[in-house]
Amino acid sequence: MKTKSANYITMEFLSRSANEGFARGAAACFAAQLDPTLEELGDIRTAVSEAVTNAIVHAYPDRLGKIVLKARILEGNVLEISVRDWGRGIPDVDRARQPLYTTGGEERSGMGFTIMESFMDRLTVRSQEGKGTRVTMRRRIQPRRPAP
């Protein structure tokens, strides 16, 4: 079922580590229209950072590839962000979602999906070996009451 969005953006960029900060900032700027708290904005930035870093490090370990970030505003003040790559894919998504599991070597913590899940209300991971991965995250932004 398609969910109608009130607003959306789509960005495409190369899997260069320098683009992670740009993607994180762009997602936060887009989310700002929902008037999130600084804590909510920080959570969104962190989750996007993890999703994009996963695509850069794991999807394209030995080459540059395309990453697409989409963000949508849905009914009920819900922000939806998806990060898509066309890289290696994840052979076992359930295993990859376990804390401390990584294919990125000793320097990687294996906490990316766990962090995304803890900062967002919903996390969906779809992947196919050799065809890529799509991570979709949703977060409801609590409407703030005007100051008295």
Side-chain angles (χ1 to χ4, degrees):
M1 178 169 90
K2 273 277 212 220
T3 306
K4 188 175 180 181
S5 58
N7 197 9
Y8 69 91
I9 61 165
T10 301
M11 321 181 348
E12 179 180 316
F13 51 93
L14 279 176
S15 60
R16 292 189 185 279
S17 60
N19 289 333
E20 177 273 326
F22 175 72
R24 178 182 63 215
C29 286
F30 180 77
Q33 66 191 289
L34 292 172
D35 195 26
T37 64
L38 289 176
E39 182 180 349
E40 288 170 326
L41 260 185
D43 291 352
I44 291 162
R45 290 172 59 91
T46 300
V48 169
S49 179
E50 291 295 331
V52 171
T53 298
N54 272 1
I56 291 168
V57 171
H58 300 291
Y60 305 110
D62 52 6
R63 66 183 171 96
L64 290 175
K66 177 172 75 168
I67 298 173
V68 171
L69 181 145
K70 293 184 178 187
R72 302 189 306 157
I73 305 296
L74 306 175
E75 281 183 20
N77 247 29
V78 173
L79 174 69
E80 179 183 82
I81 299 171
S82 70
V83 176
R84 170 93 165 93
D85 67 68
W86 286 262
R88 294 190 316 181
I90 303 170
D92 186 342
V93 171
D94 290 334
R95 186 170 180 208
R97 288 183 71 162
Q98 296 301 309
L100 305 179
Y101 176 81
T102 184
T103 61
E106 288 182 18
E107 70 279 358
R108 310 308 309 173
S109 70
M111 295 297 291
F113 288 132
T114 303
I115 291 167
M116 287 179 244
E117 212 161 23
S118 69
F119 287 124
M120 302 302 270
D121 296 328
R122 187 170 122 198
L123 173 71
T124 305
V125 182
R126 300 200 192 292
S127 190
Q128 190 172 1
E129 275 191 276
K131 295 194 176 183
T133 302
R134 179 188 316 264
V135 173
T136 304
M137 305 172 283
R138 285 190 179 180
R139 171 80 182 251
R140 184 174 184 278
I141 304 301
Q142 295 297 326
R144 293 200 269 173
R145 295 184 184 163

